[in-house]
Every structure is written in structure tokens, then in C-alpha cells.
Amino acid sequence: MWAFHTPQPTQPPSLFNPPRMPPKLPSSSLTLNPSISNSTPNRNQLIQSLCKQGDLKQAFKLLSREPNPSQRTYEVLILSCADQNSLSLAQSLHSHISENGFDQDPFLVTKLISMYAALDSLDDARKVFDKTRKRTIFVWNALFRALTLAGFGEEVLGLYRKMNRIGLPSDRFTYTYVLKACVASECMVSLLNKGKEIHAHILRHGLEGYVHIMTTLVDMYARFGCVAHASFVFEKMPVRNVVSWSAMMACYAKNGKPFEALELFREMMIETQDSAPNSVTMVSVLQACAALSALEQGKLVHAYILRRGLDSVLPVISALITMYARCGELELGQRIFDRMEKRDVVSWNSLISSYGLHGYGKKAMQIFQEMIHQGVSPSPITFVSVLGACSHAGLVEEGKKLFDSMRKEHGIHPSVEHYACMVDLLGRANRLEEAAKIIDEMRIEPGAKVWGSLLGSCRIHCNVGLAERASHRLFQLEPNSAGNYVLLADIYAEAEMWDDVKRVRKLLETRSLQKVAGRSWIEVRRKMYSFISVDEPNSQIELIQSLLIKLAAEMKEKGYSPQTKVVLYDLDESEKERILLGHSEKLAVAFGLINTKKGETIRITKNLRLCEDCHSFTKFISKFTNKEILVRDVNRFHHFQNGVCSCGDYW
């Protein structure tokens, strides 16, 4: 059990938070005194006061009578234009600044660039930068920040090269912005290499002591999936704050290393006494618990969130809903949602995807309609969640209508993810020709996700022709992904095309690709245990194996027949059966039978799709041992009870 230290909550400073405005002045203080109305210092102060009270139009009237506006007056006016989201007033102010000769003031130039960025007028921001003759590092940084936040990462890196060529030294903020620029658009390999170059610059200039730079570096590597690089940077950080701990936890949680995320959280709780985990930290921890189906640890984290008063933060609540659903406790997730006083689209998405994961497609559709009825506009992710729910439940016609309504009723253009959902929806229902037609008629490049959905469907229905077409494109798009080769080999094996199986396996060997090992996790008494599909040291492994052999023999008498076709090797049946008994989910099930009490549910998470034999085996086990077993594979939840699976053998 974790012992949580709860220091007094503190509000960490934010680089991008706007400064807190001073309290409003009483209205009487704005009454113009004729005796001082022509006094420049007092008029400047009155303009600033009007801005701070939100009376921007009156401030502009007064500005027209002021012959000598101060730099501070212009600064406050700039901030007010951005705050009131008025582009027309911003452009008028910019003209006034230019007419008064302040358009070359580096300080005001940076403020103008930031103002236009806040008003989503990047063209105006670029023009300000282009017309500035003396560009200080602050001017460059202002444009870098504006472009990075808008997703123009490659443009930032091009400007950064130009800045380096003219010999202007970077400061610590420059490095933060250009690192973020590396992941502002698509995470391409070339941009990763640029990020590594910037990392080298940082080390060369001795800036590794700045925590915000190193935290951004951790996040940059995390976004590219370079977990080892991110971990190395984090371990070398001389100083860490709650943001850097959270960044590393998010890196682990989002890159398939939930164990490491939870371990790092424990380490943080022990090491940090001056700063407590914030809402961002807790979202990553909940994601790790969800990935492992670690229900008991998730409940402990939930209790800590309640003690820290973070249960009113919307992203935390959404993560809680998802965590409980992915741990098999859908009702708890629903209960949290029902108690929410305020809900955003992310909260609705969490609930919709939760029901979809459990195979309740019609319920997911019902929640979607309720969301629309309550006036919440769906996001692109909403449609990914609902289409996924339709796919798991076989709701083909409903999914097709939903897909058509995206653009017509909600103005959302389908992305690669939406097309992948549609291909999966049709493919699972064995409407593979329709799925292929959707790909042919796409107006955007299908990409690996779409072709991967088609290949996965071909694996379910053993369609060799379409599988070869899909795998041909995938080998081009993802040459280093062993999973695509394995899927094609599976399809050839089921079709008994053994020469082709050997050919694909040879390709794997010649390209030095390793298939992802099957791994399963199980939580017993708040501790996580991991099993992989090979022999591994475990204090109970002999007991587990003997139990599996005994159960398999007894279940054969009750009708269980091992599905040895999933073994791709040309071996005799007894050897294939031995290999099947070594699958990670069977090892986890046996471990759960040995170490859980009567009536206690066994909860297992699998990193790959549940194979047909393990699915059949677990159905028999649930009836044979009168045990409730929950298995979440990479696609969905399987709720085994009394010899029946909730998926209805459709997964």
C-alpha cells in the first residue's frame, strides 16, 4: 500500500500565464479634471486605468488626444486588445504606434507579435517581425513562440537556422520554443534529428541546469517515442520540479510503459517534499493504472485525488472515468460521470469510449445522442469513439450513418483515424470489399492506420488477396514494424500456405525484425505481476504449468479442443498444444486461480489481440472453475462468466 505525503498545495508559476491584473479603480477616479486634462503623464495613467477596467473604446478616444503616449501606455493597450479579442482595434493601435515612431521599439514589437498571435492573425505577426530592423533575441523568441503554438514547427526551425547564421546567440527561452517546434507539427524523423542537434547545443552552452529546458527536452523525446532518451535526460537533471516529474510519467504512460510510470510516481512521492503532484501528474498516473487494469492501485490514486481536492479538475475526472472502465468497473465510471456538475466534450468522450470498449455499442450511441441533445458539440475524437463502439458491437449500418453525418451535420471532415474506424467496422463484419472501396475512394492518403485496419480484418476472415494488397503498402509505410509481417504469416498459415509462411518469416529474419512478445498483466493484492509468452523465472511457474496441464486435460473431456492452427510452426499436435499452454494470458489466468480467493474476479490485461485458443480456453475455465474472469486485450474487453464471453465471439 502506498503512503502518500500531502504537503500544502502550491500553485507553480507558469511561463505563459498572463500577469494578474490589479484591482479595478473606482469609477470616480476616471473623471477627467479639466485642469489636468492636458497633462501628459496623467492622461497616460488614465488610458492605462481605462484599459484595466475594460473600457477600451474610451481609452482609444483618450489616446487620440495624447501627443506623447508612453511605452507603458502602448503596452497596456496591446494587452487589452488581445484580452478583448479585437483584431480591428489591434490593427488601429498598431497603425498609431507606427505613426508615433514606436514600431521599431523591440519591447513593443515583441508585444505586438504576441498580441497578433493571441488574435490568430499570424500573417500580421509575421509582418511585424519582417518590418523590424533591429531584432533582439526577445523579438525572435516572440515569433518562435507564436508560430510554435500555431503548429508551424518547420517554419520556426527554418527561422532558427537563419538566426544562427547571423550569429545571434540563443537564450534559455529560445531553446524551449525550438524544442517544442520539433513536435509542433508531424513527428518526422528529420525533426527528431533536429531536436538532437538542439540538445547538443544546450549541453555545449552549459544550459542543462535550467529545469524548464530539460523538461521540454524530456517531452520532445517522449513525443517521438524515444523513451530511453527521455529517461536519460530526466535522470541527469540536477534539479526537478513537479512539471519535469509529470513529463517523464506522461512519457512512460503514453509509450507503453505503465509499470515504469507507477514506479516513478512512487519515487516522486518519496523524494519530493516541497511540491505535490498536480492534476497533470495524476492524469498520467491514472492512465498507467488504466493500461494495467490495476484497479486496487487506481482506487488508492482516486483516494489521494480526493484528499488533494483535484476531483473538480475536468481532465482528472475524465481520466478517472476511463481508468475505472478499463479496469472493468464500468458502473463506477458511470457513477463518477453522473456526479459531475460540469461536463466538457472530453468527459463525454471518455464515457462513450468506455462503453465501446466493453462492447456496448448501442449504449455508446445513446450517450452520443444525449450529448448532442444537451448542446455539447462533438469533437473529431468523439466520432472515433462512437465509430469504434459501433465496430466492436457490429453495428454496421449505424456506423455508416454516423460517418455520413460527420461532415453534413457537424462540419467535421473525416481524418485518417475516422477512415480507419470505418474500414475496421466493415472488415470485422466481413464486408471486406466495401472496406477496400472506402480506401480506394479516400481523398487523403490512407496511411498505415487504415491499411492496418484492413489487414487486421483480413486476419479475422482469412482473406489472402486483400491481405497481400494491404501488407504490400504497410511494408512500404512501416518497414520496421514486425507486427504486419506476423499478421500476414498468420493469414497464410490459416490458409495452409506454408511456403508463403516461410517466405514471410524469412523476411523478418533478413530485416532483423523482432515480433512483439505477448505479455499479460494481473493485479493481485495491489501488486502487479507480468507474464510473457516464453519460459521465464517465476516462483510459482512450475505450479502454474502443472495446473494448466491438469485443467487442459480435464476440459478436453468436457469438450475443449485446442485450436492449434494459431501456431505457425510445422510441428506435431502435442508440441503445438504445449506451445499454446505457454501463452501469457493462460499463465496469468492460472496465476490468478492460484492466488485469488473464492468469488474474487480475475482481471488480466493483454498487449496483443486475444488468440482464438486462449479465448476458447478462458471460456471453459470460467465455467469449469466457476470463476469470473475479465481480460482486456488490445481491442476490447472480454468478460468471461459461466462459459460465455461478453463479446459473443466477435472481436
Side-chain angles (χ1 to χ4, degrees):
M1 183 171 180
W2 298 345
F4 291 104
H5 171 67
T6 313
Q8 291 298 314
T10 58
Q11 179 63 42
S14 172
L15 182 62
F16 304 119
N17 277 348
R20 182 180 297 174
M21 290 296 186
K24 292 184 178 181
L25 297 173
S27 57
S28 59
S29 67
L30 298 181
T31 303
L32 297 182
N33 187 333
S35 65
I36 63 170
S37 61
N38 293 322
S39 173
T40 296
N42 283 303
R43 192 181 289 119
N44 274 292
Q45 290 171 8
L46 288 171
I47 293 170
Q48 294 168 30
S49 297
L50 286 165
C51 288
K52 291 169 185 176
Q53 288 205 2
D55 194 351
L56 194 54
K57 290 185 178 179
Q58 186 64 34
F60 266 80
K61 287 180 182 178
L62 206 56
L63 177 66
S64 65
R65 296 165 52 193
E66 173 53 56
N68 297 304
S70 67
Q71 185 193 64
R72 174 59 181 165
T73 296
Y74 278 136
E75 180 193 6
V76 174
L77 282 163
I78 289 169
L79 293 172
S80 296
C81 287
D83 186 54
Q84 294 199 16
N85 198 31
S86 176
L87 180 59
S88 59
L89 286 177
Q91 290 171 333
S92 297
L93 176 62
H94 186 188
S95 297
H96 196 285
I97 289 171
S98 298
E99 290 167 5
N100 274 27
F102 276 85
D103 59 323
Q104 295 301 314
D105 181 332
F107 176 78
L108 289 180
V109 166
T110 63
K111 297 298 178 183
L112 283 169
I113 291 172
S114 298
M115 173 191 72
Y116 280 128
L119 295 171
D120 295 324
S121 184
L122 285 178
D123 284 341
D124 283 317
R126 292 184 181 100
K127 288 175 184 175
V128 172
F129 179 83
D130 291 339
K131 291 179 180 179
T132 304
R133 294 187 292 274
K134 185 180 179 181
R135 299 169 185 159
T136 65
I137 189 60
F138 305 107
V139 173
W140 286 90
N141 285 348
L143 188 63
F144 288 164
R145 178 178 181 270
L147 293 173
T148 297
L149 291 175
F152 294 94
E154 291 185 81
E155 183 179 349
V156 171
L157 295 172
L159 288 167
Y160 179 60
R161 285 192 292 271
K162 182 178 178 181
M163 190 187 89
N164 285 333
R165 280 198 300 271
I166 64 175
L168 183 65
S170 303
D171 70 2
R172 57 196 177 98
F173 297 108
T174 312
Y175 288 117
T176 301
Y177 300 141
V178 294
L179 282 171
K180 288 182 178 179
C182 293
V183 292
S185 48
E186 292 185 15
C187 295
M188 298 182 292
V189 175
S190 60
L191 297 184
L192 171 60
N193 292 333
K194 190 62 186 176
K196 290 179 178 179
E197 288 179 27
I198 296 166
H199 186 182
H201 291 175
I202 291 167
L203 297 178
R204 200 155 47 236
H205 290 90
L207 297 174
E208 60 268 33
Y210 287 102
V211 66
H212 68 278
I213 294 179
M214 304 311 285
T215 299
T216 308
L217 195 55
V218 168
D219 187 60
M220 186 272 292
Y221 281 127
R223 293 282 295 277
F224 280 106
C226 300
V227 180
H229 287 76
S231 179
F232 178 81
V233 172
F234 180 79
E235 292 299 327
K236 294 292 183 182
M237 288 178 69
V239 179
R240 300 169 186 162
N241 59 17
V242 65
V243 181
S244 48
W245 283 96
S246 299
M248 193 63 230
M249 264 178 256
C251 173
Y252 284 138
K254 293 175 182 177
N255 285 285
K257 292 188 176 292
F259 265 123
E260 290 80 353
L262 291 180
E263 189 58 39
L264 191 65
F265 180 58
R266 293 190 190 96
E267 186 181 334
M268 177 187 178
M269 299 303 294
I270 294 169
E271 289 191 13
T272 58
Q273 301 296 324
D274 56 341
S275 61
N278 59 20
S279 60
V280 177
T281 317
M282 302 319 298
V283 167
S284 293
V285 176
L286 287 169
Q287 288 173 344
C289 292
L292 294 167
S293 294
L295 177 62
E296 295 305 316
Q297 296 194 41
K299 286 180 176 178
L300 286 175
V301 174
H302 188 181
Y304 179 72
I305 286 168
L306 293 172
R307 290 203 300 274
R308 289 272 293 119
L310 296 172
D311 55 316
S312 60
V313 181
L314 284 176
V316 174
I317 303 173
S318 298
L320 274 168
I321 294 169
T322 301
M323 184 274 292
Y324 278 120
R326 292 179 74 84
C327 290
E329 293 291 340
L330 190 55
E331 290 182 4
L332 286 176
Q334 178 72 65
R335 199 179 305 168
I336 290 171
F337 180 84
D338 291 340
R339 292 177 179 174
M340 293 177 71
E341 295 180 2
K342 182 182 177 182
R343 298 164 183 157
D344 61 1
V345 67
V346 178
S347 310
W348 286 96
N349 290 348
S350 296
L351 192 66
I352 291 168
S353 63
S354 296
Y355 277 97
L357 183 68
H358 283 263
Y360 299 118
K362 290 185 178 179
K363 178 66 175 178
M365 288 286 290
Q366 180 185 330
I367 295 167
F368 172 74
Q369 295 299 335
E370 184 183 347
M371 181 186 83
I372 300 297
H373 181 71
Q374 293 196 16
V376 180
S377 298
S379 68
I381 294 174
T382 309
F383 285 97
V384 172
S385 299
V386 187
L387 288 170
C390 291
S391 180
H392 291 313
L395 303 176
V396 178
E397 296 307 318
E398 293 88 338
K400 290 172 70 175
K401 289 179 182 177
L402 187 71
F403 185 77
D404 290 338
S405 74
M406 281 178 57
R407 186 188 290 110
K408 295 177 182 177
E409 298 178 22
H410 303 284
I412 296 175
H413 292 275
S415 67
V416 168
E417 287 77 11
H418 299 118
Y419 280 110
C421 287
M422 281 304 297
V423 170
D424 187 67
L425 172 73
L426 294 165
R428 285 179 189 275
N430 202 14
R431 293 164 68 163
L432 289 163
E433 294 301 328
E434 285 184 63
K437 185 179 179 182
I438 281 185
I439 297 175
D440 292 336
E441 294 176 352
M442 284 177 64
R443 296 181 179 180
I444 56 177
E445 175 60 37
K449 289 184 178 179
V450 174
W451 289 112
S453 292
L454 183 62
L455 184 61
S457 298
C458 291
R459 161 70 179 82
I460 296 170
H461 301 291
C462 195
N463 188 309
V464 175
L466 279 178
E468 289 178 331
R469 179 187 171 194
S471 59
H472 175 71
R473 288 294 294 126
L474 285 166
F475 294 164
Q476 294 174 332
L477 294 168
E478 298 179 325
N480 297 320
S481 174
N484 298 323
Y485 294 87
V486 173
L487 272 177
L488 182 59
D490 284 349
I491 295 165
Y492 282 141
E494 188 163 349
E496 298 184 351
M497 300 168 64
W498 299 110
D499 289 340
D500 290 294
V501 172
K502 291 176 182 177
R503 177 175 57 81
V504 174
R505 287 175 57 192
K506 187 67 176 176
L507 282 173
L508 276 169
E509 292 173 8
T510 55
R511 298 182 184 185
S512 301
L513 301 178
Q514 293 290 327
K515 64 176 288 188
V516 177
R519 182 180 291 272
S520 296
W521 295 270
I522 181 171
E523 183 185 36
V524 176
R525 290 184 286 276
R526 294 177 181 168
K527 185 175 180 181
M528 299 303 303
Y529 298 87
S530 171
F531 296 89
I532 56 176
S533 300
V534 294
D535 293 334
E536 63 175 335
N538 184 290
S539 59
Q540 294 183 324
I541 195 65
E542 291 185 4
L543 185 58
I544 290 169
Q545 290 173 338
S546 62
L547 176 60
L548 285 172
I549 292 169
K550 179 176 179 290
L551 287 171
E554 293 177 357
M555 288 192 305
K556 280 182 182 179
E557 297 176 2
K558 302 291 183 180
Y560 164 65
S561 178
Q563 299 190 36
T564 55
K565 65 178 183 179
V566 302
V567 180
L568 301 183
Y569 300 96
D570 190 11
L571 303 168
D572 60 47
E573 288 299 301
S574 61
E575 186 61 21
K576 286 184 178 182
E577 289 183 24
R578 190 193 71 81
I579 291 173
L580 287 175
L581 287 179
H583 280 195
S584 65
E585 49 267 61
K586 291 191 182 77
L587 297 175
V589 167
F591 183 84
L593 291 172
I594 294 168
N595 293 282
T596 57
K597 300 174 183 176
K598 184 178 180 180
E600 188 177 348
T601 302
I602 295 175
R603 303 173 192 275
I604 296 167
T605 304
K606 176 76 187 291
N607 67 333
L608 302 173
R609 181 180 183 270
L610 201 62
C611 84
E612 288 83 349
D613 182 68
C614 287
H615 192 267
S616 173
F617 184 89
T618 310
K619 282 200 297 184
F620 270 93
I621 284 283
S622 68
K623 184 174 184 179
F624 197 73
T625 63
N626 193 27
K627 197 77 169 174
E628 183 180 5
I629 303 171
L630 294 179
V631 180
R632 195 189 79 226
D633 69 3
V634 72
N635 291 325
R636 58 163 297 154
F637 246 101
H638 299 267
H639 188 164
F640 298 97
Q641 195 168 24
N642 197 30
V644 177
C645 179
S646 60
C647 76
D649 299 340
Y650 188 89
W651 84 100

